[in-house]
Amino acid sequence: MEARLQELKNEALAKIQAAQTVKELTDVRVAYLGKKGPITDVLKGMGKLPAEERPKMGALVNVVRAEVTESLDARMVLLEEQAINEKLQSETIDISLPGRPAKTGNPHPLTRVVEEIEDLFLSMGYEIAEGPEVEKDYYNFEALNLPKGHPARDMQDSFYITEDILLRTHTSPVQARTMEAKGGEPIKIICPGKVYRRDNDDATHSHQFTQIEGLVVGEDIRMSDLKGTLSIFAKKMFGEDREIRLRPSFFPFTEPSVEMDISCFKCGGSGCNVCKKTGWIEILGAGMVHPNVLEMAGYDSKRLTGFAFGMGPERIAMLKYGIEDIRHFYTNDVRFLTQFQRTEL
Amino acid sequence: MLVSTKWLKEYVNTQDLPPAELGEKITRAGIEVDAVIDRSEGLANLVVGYVTDCVKHPEADKLSICQVDVGGGEIDQIICGAPNIAQGQSVIVARPGAKLPGGMKIKKAKLRGEVSNGMICSLQELGIETKLVPKSYAEGIYVLPEKAEPGTDVLSYLDLDDTVLELGLTPNRADAMSMLGVAYEVGAILGEEVSLPEIEYTEAADSAESMLSLEVDAPEANPLYVAKVVRNVKVKESPLWLQQRLMAAGVRPHNNVVDVTNYILMEYGQPLHAFDYDSLGSGNITVRQAKEGEKITTLDDTERTLSAHQLVITNGTDPVALAGVMGGANSEVSDETTTVVIESAYFASDSIRRTSKDHNLRSDASSRYEKGVDPNRVIPAAERAAQLLAELADGEVLAGSLVFDQLDKQERIVKVSPDFINSRLGMKIRLEDMLDILSRLKFNTEAVNNQLIIEVPTRRQDIQIEEDVVEEIARLYGYDEIPATLPRTDATPGGLSPYQAKRRIARHFLEGAGLLQATTYSLTSEVAATQFALEPTETTRLLMPMSEERSILRQSLLPHLLESLSYNTARRIDSAALYETGSVFLKGQDELLDEQEHLAIVMTGLWIDHSWQGEKTAVDFFVAKGIVEGLAEKLGLELSFERGEMDGLHPGRTAFILLDGKRIGVIGALHPSEQKQRDLKETIVVELNLATLLTRETEALVYTQVSRYPTISRDVALVLSNIVEAQTIEGVIRKAGGKLLKDVRVFDLYEGDRMEQGKKSLAFSLRYFDPEKTLTDDEVNAAHEKIIQALTESGAELR
């Protein structure tokens, strides 16, 4: 019996070593250690032995079992590792193949510019005011110190619908409406929106375009405050090393009026094709709110003063991104629009 | 306004500044110099020549062989093709080695066998625009008005050694629409005095009144009228200096009489008009309002019908000029004119503006009257004209003038305190600096009790209030000197309104979903205005559109967005998915339109491109519907869809979108015929009233505890008539499902060959859940059984 056990052990150990796969090894386990296996059979046959031999034999069976089990487990670890390695090998992919594209769109370049400006002024405590695109002559002109027959009305030939209703020619009527609604209270707003002028569409003119304006009204608002505010705007929008320069200008709704140039962001001021060799780029118009405008909206212009500024996002986008034709903003060529996907931060 | 710097020096010392530097100073002080034009650019080695002999070229009809004295005793042979070349002329000669604009270099040449030592030049060849060249020389060479020394350098002789500053004037600076006005501005900038022209002439013994009478019947529109009579004038070509100054200023020379009026217009900014006295035929000038329907033919040979609000100059009966805008052809100065009536007048700006607009006729005169001329220059301008006509046309000036004068010529007084100026600017400018600036501006100023009392010259009609003075001080002190500060206001929270914030959320969602933001025009055509409109109203048309294409305000965003798709597909970009937010314009109760912010989506071509991983997918109704549903979820809204029809959309693939049972949008496939017309493949469109979505209040977000208990799924596959909608079946399931039914989802649709005709198979996945405990099979079965029963009762078969 003892010999039989030794024989079984050697047989099992040989088969364990011979097993090449996890499955073969599992079969060996079942064959030798299973309930119906030969070692169990030996145990079952122990009943025929004399009682004094049984403990010795039992111990021997356990030793054999342990030896076989140990060898089997060791072999199993090896084979499993081998199996995993084979599996991994077979699962290798070509990582150079392109990824599955994430479907994504992006904002229009004008929205991008407008939002950037909005966010800057929102962070300085401004609110965003909006108003109708079809406007009363009163808000578009008269409330802005442009009475009927004023020569400056020629500056912006307008689309009238009736004698008193027109497509707004600037976003300034929103300022007039806001002042009227605020009833003499201080104001800090930004007004973005679409505007319309009787222009033939070409590379630099568009009968429809966008504007964004700002208005601050309060006690003792000075021209130096306008300059400081615009300076922050220029640096945030066009780079920290931008300088600004104010030039006297004329708008009927401001007095004094200025135009703001920034030092060229391309050449830094030495002169290039972007700044037309001047080192400066005209960006916006601004000024101190004309006392007539304040008074018309019910403000005491002796007590409260203000400044306003306005600019064209098309122009800013054209300068910033080097766009050559204003019509691109309105034709919606996918090859144009998709270029404004990525961040510049 | 074109300003010859050479001419300008006659009135003010420009301190020998290079023109570009002078231009920069003018710009920085407030009048933008748009361009600095060197009149001699590209010109070199041009001399005066004298044609001693001129014969026809034997081999060419149009050519002449000229012998030209070019100075220094040299006579050169030059071949000339101009029809007006003749012996005895002083001409401009480009000798070999000379340069002309455009990089042209003159070389010795042979023309049809004859040697040509250079070229005789026209003014155009010197870079002068054809519209400025005197008519008699427009088709040929320029003949110098007086005999000049051969060999003289042409650049200085013709005053082409000059630089012109082009001023971009804002409407307030009408004062700078004259050389004198610019001289005052430059004088203020540089601190130099201005010297006015000296006016001197002798008068004839006869008085102007002996020949002419004057009546003004419209004193409001014409408060000042001066007429002078000049006799025995010789109408001829103006001297070279005058022609050249006019050309430099952008005015075409005609004859000495017309040129004098134009010269003074440029010099003083005061429009003048010269009448041929004999053509007036009455010895009378009457200024009055026109009669309704009265006619006049103006100098541009156009007959114009007049209205009663327009002002005319008449000979007592018939109009002879459209006051302040253009003269009449019937009284035009011609070569035969011998007696001239010079008009210098002040016409009210609104009257001229209206007349000029009515006739769509703008002239150098009307553009100055519109903005207002200097009341104190009307009379001096008339005197100056008399002087120049005496000098240049050998005229005999009759004594005195005919004058109608009710014009207030008083200087305006503006009072302002230095503190006011400094507080507006945020600066500390000293009183003496302010006084210095005001004196450079030639504003007489008195400083009394911390108050500046300023007498503003009438040429500066734009200075009316304290703030105007603030600007004058600031611009001449220098805007660079203003410090940069920030408003000292209370801190305000600022921020987006809920509407604005939600609009951004919606936009970001749509972009995340794969749509590109587009922008289109609000103005459209009559046809496109109401196409796809959710609630079409009467259309709104512009009074004066630029074109029919852009004449009406849109009521839907879709027509232009679809045009954008067609634009792309025409350029072989077959797939595009765009969205736009913008206003549509409906007729409302108010006099203003009812502007509603809409959102529209269009998509065509492929939604998912063919790739190595799988098949391409074309856009379809459900791609768009998924985006709309996703947007609603993002905004916390529940939308429903109701089958519908709309012109231009596929009748079987269109639905209205409802919020709280109210139609707020439409989604559908473009009608095949519409697609064909627009050259598009399968195209899906959506339009929603975005304002309604964004103004709807959303519920507060409250967290629901995540349950420990599992959900249990059961599927059910049904065979249905294919006209039954999934939405209906889902309704049956939900109604019968009770509180344990958590979720219903369609996961399969089959309508293929293996189905009976007119039937389809729909499969739903149902999920059951009890937040309090784990559901038992029995409980789920009971609930599911109820649903099956309800479905069977509704006519669906279990598959």
Side-chain angles (χ1 to χ4, degrees):
Chain A
M1 213 170 182
E2 202 179 321
R4 172 77 182 137
L5 265 178
Q6 282 302 334
E7 189 189 326
L8 278 174
K9 185 182 98 179
N10 292 338
E11 216 180 281
L13 291 178
K15 285 200 173 161
I16 287 166
Q17 289 314 311
Q20 290 304 312
T21 67
V22 172
K23 186 177 181 307
E24 279 173 36
L25 192 62
T26 310
D27 288 347
V28 174
R29 183 195 297 273
V30 173
Y32 288 87
L33 300 176
K35 280 181 186 164
K36 288 171 185 166
I39 297 176
T40 313
D41 285 349
V42 171
L43 272 179
K44 281 179 190 159
M46 278 211 317
K48 293 171 190 161
L49 288 178
E52 66 276 12
E53 282 185 38
R54 282 179 201 166
K56 188 184 156 211
M57 211 53 201
L60 187 63
V61 168
N62 282 338
V63 168
V64 169
R65 274 188 86 113
E67 267 182 60
V68 171
T69 304
E70 192 183 336
S71 163
L72 212 138
D73 286 350
R75 181 78 182 155
M76 188 58 98
V77 168
L78 199 81
L79 288 181
E80 270 176 355
E81 197 181 297
Q82 201 177 312
I84 285 169
N85 284 340
E86 275 165 26
K87 187 164 189 286
L88 291 177
Q89 185 81 40
S90 72
E91 283 174 355
T92 301
I93 55 166
D94 176 358
I95 54 86
S96 73
L97 282 167
R100 193 188 286 274
K103 190 90 187 158
T104 170
N106 58 261
H108 191 277
L110 291 175
T111 304
R112 193 177 160 127
V113 168
V114 168
E115 252 183 39
E116 200 178 334
I117 298 169
E118 282 178 358
D119 288 346
L120 166 60
F121 284 99
L122 286 170
S123 76
M124 299 203 287
Y126 287 64
E127 287 175 13
I128 295 176
E130 294 170 285
E133 291 169 34
V134 174
E135 192 46 284
K136 292 181 183 174
D137 184 273
Y138 175 79
Y139 289 112
N140 194 73
F141 289 126
E142 280 178 57
L144 298 166
N145 199 31
L146 276 149
K148 286 215 159 80
H150 191 285
R153 282 199 183 199
D154 289 350
M155 283 163 82
Q156 33 200 14
D157 218 351
S158 336
F159 286 122
Y160 275 91
I161 291 167
T162 68
E163 208 164 292
D164 287 313
I165 306 287
L166 75 163
L167 299 188
R168 66 179 178 194
T169 57
H170 45 195
T171 46
S172 313
V174 182
Q175 300 189 6
R177 282 175 176 272
T178 306
M179 282 192 272
E180 197 179 85
K182 288 267 185 175
E185 290 303 305
I187 295 175
K188 261 170 105 174
I189 53 165
I190 284 288
C191 323
K194 291 176 184 147
V195 301
Y196 306 84
R197 290 189 195 169
R198 278 192 97 251
D199 261 329
N200 276 312
D201 295 342
D202 62 24
T204 53
H205 297 86
S206 182
H207 74 277
Q208 174 181 325
F209 57 101
T210 52
Q211 260 196 352
I212 185 160
E213 295 190 327
L215 171 72
V216 174
V217 179
E219 266 178 51
D220 196 22
I221 298 292
R222 304 154 298 172
M223 198 148 159
S224 55
D225 300 332
L226 169 65
K227 192 170 181 181
T229 303
L230 294 181
S231 181
I232 289 179
F233 161 76
K235 286 177 194 300
K236 289 274 182 199
M237 208 55 200
F238 298 101
E240 278 305 314
D241 46 357
R242 290 284 70 70
E243 280 173 38
I244 69 163
R245 134 183 136 162
L246 300 182
R247 277 183 294 110
S249 187
F250 170 75
F251 306 106
F253 23 90
T254 49
E255 188 69 41
S257 302
V258 297
E259 270 177 88
M260 182 188 86
D261 299 334
I262 58 166
S263 56
C264 181
F265 47 77
K266 192 172 175 203
C267 64
S270 56
C272 67
N273 58 338
V274 170
C275 58
K276 298 193 184 103
K277 308 251 183 286
T278 63
W280 296 95
I281 299 175
E282 189 179 318
I283 290 293
L284 56 76
M288 301 302 291
V289 182
H290 197 288
N292 291 358
V293 174
L294 289 166
E295 296 286 341
M296 286 244 259
Y299 282 74
D300 176 0
S301 69
K302 290 279 172 274
R303 199 175 67 79
L304 293 176
T305 53
F307 65 72
F309 55 88
M311 66 199 107
E314 275 88 348
R315 177 170 166 75
I316 291 177
M318 288 171 90
L319 286 168
K320 221 171 135 95
Y321 305 120
I323 298 164
E324 80 294 1
D325 192 323
I326 197 170
R327 288 168 294 198
H328 284 316
F329 294 113
Y330 296 94
T331 43
N332 303 307
D333 191 316
V334 167
R335 295 166 300 180
F336 173 78
L337 294 177
T338 48
Q339 291 184 40
F340 303 95
Q341 180 87 249
R342 74 171 179 88
T343 179
E344 275 187 295
L345 296 177
Chain B
M1 175 80 191
L2 297 170
V3 178
S4 151
T5 49
K6 209 171 169 183
W7 184 4
L8 183 66
K9 284 177 195 158
E10 199 152 293
Y11 313 110
V12 67
N13 178 358
T14 56
Q15 300 176 348
D16 292 325
L17 286 172
E21 210 173 297
L22 178 63
E24 177 67 13
K25 281 188 189 289
I26 294 173
T27 296
R28 299 302 312 276
I31 294 177
E32 196 165 355
V33 174
D34 288 337
V36 179
I37 306 153
D38 179 1
R39 294 193 80 205
S40 67
E41 191 167 336
L43 300 174
N45 295 331
L46 298 167
V47 296
V48 171
Y50 182 76
V51 183
T52 56
D53 189 34
C54 177
V55 295
K56 281 264 159 272
H57 191 297
E59 303 293 324
D61 282 353
K62 289 184 175 162
L63 298 181
S64 307
I65 302 172
C66 307
Q67 304 305 321
V68 184
D69 179 353
V70 290
E74 275 183 75
I75 306 278
D76 274 348
Q77 173 166 301
I78 299 176
I79 311 299
C80 180
N84 62 335
I85 183 81
Q87 187 189 338
Q89 290 173 334
S90 284
V91 294
I92 301 161
V93 176
R95 302 187 66 189
K99 283 182 192 159
L100 294 176
M104 186 174 168
K105 252 184 145 176
I106 303 301
K107 288 181 196 137
K108 193 169 170 174
K110 250 188 182 179
L111 286 165
R112 300 261 175 134
E114 291 289 342
V115 170
S116 185
N117 285 305
M119 183 167 115
I120 300 176
C121 300
S122 67
L123 288 178
Q124 288 95 321
E125 279 156 345
L126 268 55
I128 295 173
E129 285 178 88
T130 305
K131 64 172 190 190
L132 298 181
V133 174
K135 269 191 184 143
S136 43
Y137 304 122
E139 303 291 326
I141 53 149
Y142 182 64
V143 181
L144 301 179
E146 292 126 53
K147 186 168 187 232
E149 184 59 35
T152 308
D153 177 42
V154 160
L155 290 187
S156 59
Y157 188 73
L158 257 71
D159 288 331
L160 290 171
D161 54 345
D162 186 12
T163 302
V164 172
L165 303 179
E166 185 179 350
L167 308 185
L169 293 175
T170 49
N172 60 324
R173 294 304 303 271
D175 64 294
M177 291 178 89
S178 66
M179 293 302 292
L180 283 174
V182 174
Y184 276 110
E185 176 74 6
V186 169
I189 295 166
L190 301 179
E192 295 283 351
E193 292 302 313
V194 173
S195 46
L196 297 174
E198 278 176 35
I199 303 175
E200 269 178 72
Y201 58 91
T202 38
E203 289 184 338
D206 292 343
S207 73
E209 276 172 352
S210 67
M211 287 185 73
L212 190 70
S213 60
L214 170 68
E215 232 175 280
V216 174
D217 290 344
E220 254 179 51
N222 179 206
L224 171 58
Y225 195 103
V226 183
K228 290 193 86 73
V229 182
V230 185
R231 213 160 50 181
N232 296 330
V233 298
K234 290 190 183 65
V235 178
K236 58 182 180 191
E237 212 179 331
S238 295
L240 189 63
W241 66 267
L242 179 50
Q243 291 192 33
Q244 283 302 331
R245 281 187 180 178
L246 288 178
M247 284 190 262
V251 179
R252 177 180 226 166
H254 291 274
N255 58 47
N256 52 0
V257 175
V258 173
D259 291 354
V260 162
T261 61
N262 284 332
Y263 182 76
I264 293 164
L265 172 85
M266 290 299 159
E267 188 176 46
Y268 280 73
Q270 170 62 41
L272 298 180
H273 186 65
F275 295 100
D276 174 36
Y277 176 84
D278 294 318
S279 306
L280 284 178
S282 64
N284 170 269
I285 281 187
T286 300
V287 185
R288 60 163 166 83
Q289 299 299 143
K291 292 171 190 154
E292 198 67 41
E294 203 171 9
K295 289 190 165 61
I296 183 173
T297 301
T298 41
L299 286 173
D300 54 359
D301 288 326
T302 308
E303 188 184 70
R304 299 173 190 277
T305 307
L306 306 175
S307 314
H309 63 263
Q310 297 166 355
L311 192 68
V312 286
I313 315 297
T314 71
N315 63 359
T317 32
D318 299 322
V320 292
L322 198 51
V325 181
M326 195 174 270
N330 54 5
S331 57
E332 185 178 5
V333 171
S334 71
D335 290 351
E336 282 73 47
T337 299
T338 55
T339 304
V340 170
V341 176
I342 296 291
E343 162 200 292
S344 184
Y346 185 97
F347 297 119
S349 53
D350 35 344
S351 162
I352 301 299
R353 185 174 312 115
R354 222 171 141 189
T355 306
S356 160
K357 207 171 173 187
D358 289 346
H359 293 287
N360 196 19
L361 181 62
R362 306 203 69 188
S363 60
D364 282 332
S366 72
S367 64
R368 282 170 177 79
Y369 279 127
E370 275 183 24
K371 297 188 172 79
V373 298
D374 180 356
N376 282 310
R377 278 193 202 151
V378 179
I379 295 168
E383 302 289 345
R384 175 81 167 143
Q387 174 197 16
L388 289 178
L389 285 179
E391 284 173 15
L392 306 178
D394 310 328
E396 192 187 347
V397 182
L398 297 197
S401 311
L402 291 117
V403 179
F404 172 86
D405 189 357
Q406 291 190 359
L407 182 61
D408 175 13
K409 293 185 272 300
Q410 195 59 45
E411 277 86 6
R412 182 181 287 112
I413 303 292
V414 177
K415 293 180 190 167
V416 58
S417 76
D419 291 347
F420 179 90
I421 294 171
N422 278 327
S423 75
R424 285 301 143 96
L425 294 174
M427 294 178 82
K428 293 188 178 92
I429 303 175
R430 295 174 313 163
L431 176 63
E432 49 266 50
D433 291 331
M434 293 187 189
L435 289 172
D436 173 56
I437 289 168
L438 292 166
S439 100
R440 275 152 56 196
L441 285 163
K442 304 283 171 270
F443 291 5
N444 289 330
T445 307
E446 255 188 285
V448 183
N449 297 335
N450 198 28
Q451 184 91 333
L452 300 170
I453 300 167
I454 303 165
E455 198 179 292
V456 183
T458 49
R459 63 187 156 81
R460 289 298 306 273
Q461 308 243 7
D462 57 319
I463 308 298
Q464 304 188 352
I465 56 172
E466 294 159 286
E467 282 79 1
D468 295 325
V469 177
V470 172
E471 179 170 67
E472 291 300 297
I473 299 284
R475 74 184 182 93
L476 290 171
Y477 193 79
Y479 276 10
D480 287 346
E481 305 304 317
I482 300 174
T485 58
L486 284 176
R488 294 166 298 182
T489 52
D490 294 338
T492 46
L496 296 169
S497 70
Y499 184 97
Q500 291 160 348
K502 280 198 272 185
R503 179 168 48 201
R504 283 196 180 186
I505 289 167
R507 282 203 10 249
H508 297 162
F509 172 82
L510 296 168
E511 285 151 18
L515 304 175
L516 285 170
Q517 191 190 20
T519 309
T520 62
Y521 295 132
S522 306
L523 288 168
T524 188
S525 65
E526 181 78 57
V527 178
T530 52
Q531 203 188 6
F532 304 113
L534 285 170
E535 294 161 323
T537 66
E538 198 188 319
T539 56
T540 306
R541 190 181 167 82
L542 301 178
L543 287 180
M544 276 168 46
M546 303 281 286
S547 68
E548 278 307 306
E549 284 292 280
R550 306 267 174 263
S551 59
I552 315 273
L553 282 161
R554 65 179 174 188
Q555 298 192 4
S556 161
L557 308 183
L558 286 172
H560 282 168
L561 273 180
L562 287 169
E563 268 179 37
S564 294
L565 286 187
S566 301
Y567 178 94
N568 278 290
T569 53
R571 282 154 187 79
R572 305 271 174 108
I573 300 151
D574 297 327
S575 301
L578 308 174
Y579 85 91
E580 178 177 14
T581 59
S583 290
V584 300
F585 304 84
L586 310 177
K587 274 265 157 68
Q589 305 297 322
D590 198 352
E591 54 177 330
L592 287 180
L593 299 182
D594 178 11
E595 271 177 52
Q596 298 181 351
E597 186 165 23
H598 275 204
L599 158 68
I601 300 171
V602 294
M603 47 176 74
T604 194
L606 295 182
W607 181 246
I608 296 169
D609 221 339
H610 181 88
S611 85
W612 63 274
Q613 277 168 306
E615 279 303 303
K616 59 193 178 182
T617 314
V619 301
D620 66 19
F621 182 92
F622 300 101
V623 169
K625 189 179 178 187
I627 291 174
V628 172
E629 287 170 331
L631 175 65
E633 201 171 320
K634 193 85 191 168
L635 295 174
L637 303 173
E638 220 168 292
L639 297 179
S640 57
F641 296 81
E642 162 188 272
R643 180 175 291 284
E645 284 186 33
M646 182 183 264
D647 275 354
L649 297 185
H650 190 306
R653 296 182 175 183
T654 299
F656 288 110
I657 302 168
L658 287 77
L659 177 67
D660 305 330
K662 214 181 139 255
R663 252 183 218 183
I664 57 135
V666 67
I667 173 169
L670 210 55
H671 195 286
S673 59
E674 191 76 28
Q675 276 170 197
K676 196 174 165 206
Q677 200 192 321
R678 296 175 180 273
D679 217 356
L680 292 171
K681 295 195 192 122
E682 173 88 355
T683 299
I684 312 298
V685 305
V686 177
E687 179 145 349
L688 281 164
N689 186 325
L690 185 64
T692 310
L693 293 186
L694 301 185
T695 45
R696 192 29 218 272
E697 274 182 39
T698 42
E699 283 169 31
L701 197 152
V702 181
Y703 155 78
T704 316
Q705 198 178 349
V706 177
S707 175
R708 288 185 280 146
Y709 305 106
T711 53
I712 293 167
S713 289
R714 289 278 194 283
D715 292 348
V716 54
L718 303 167
V719 174
L720 302 158
S721 158
N722 60 11
I723 56 164
V724 176
E725 292 182 348
Q727 195 169 288
T728 313
I729 301 300
E730 191 184 319
V732 172
I733 294 172
R734 283 194 188 277
K735 200 172 162 211
K739 63 179 173 48
L740 296 184
L741 180 67
K742 194 188 175 205
D743 205 11
V744 182
R745 187 173 65 87
V746 177
F747 73 90
D748 191 44
L749 166 69
Y750 182 73
E751 293 179 296
D753 299 339
R754 287 183 289 129
M755 294 302 296
E756 197 185 320
Q757 186 73 23
K759 299 271 181 181
K760 66 180 170 188
S761 163
L762 261 185
F764 291 85
S765 174
L766 280 53
R767 296 206 299 151
Y768 296 93
F769 171 70
D770 186 333
E772 305 297 331
K773 61 178 195 299
T774 302
L775 285 170
T776 65
D777 269 357
D778 288 347
E779 285 166 319
V780 173
N781 289 346
H784 197 65
E785 203 45 52
K786 264 193 195 163
I787 291 171
I788 303 280
Q789 201 182 334
L791 284 169
T792 321
E793 278 166 18
S794 78
E797 288 169 49
L798 234 47
R799 205 176 169 201

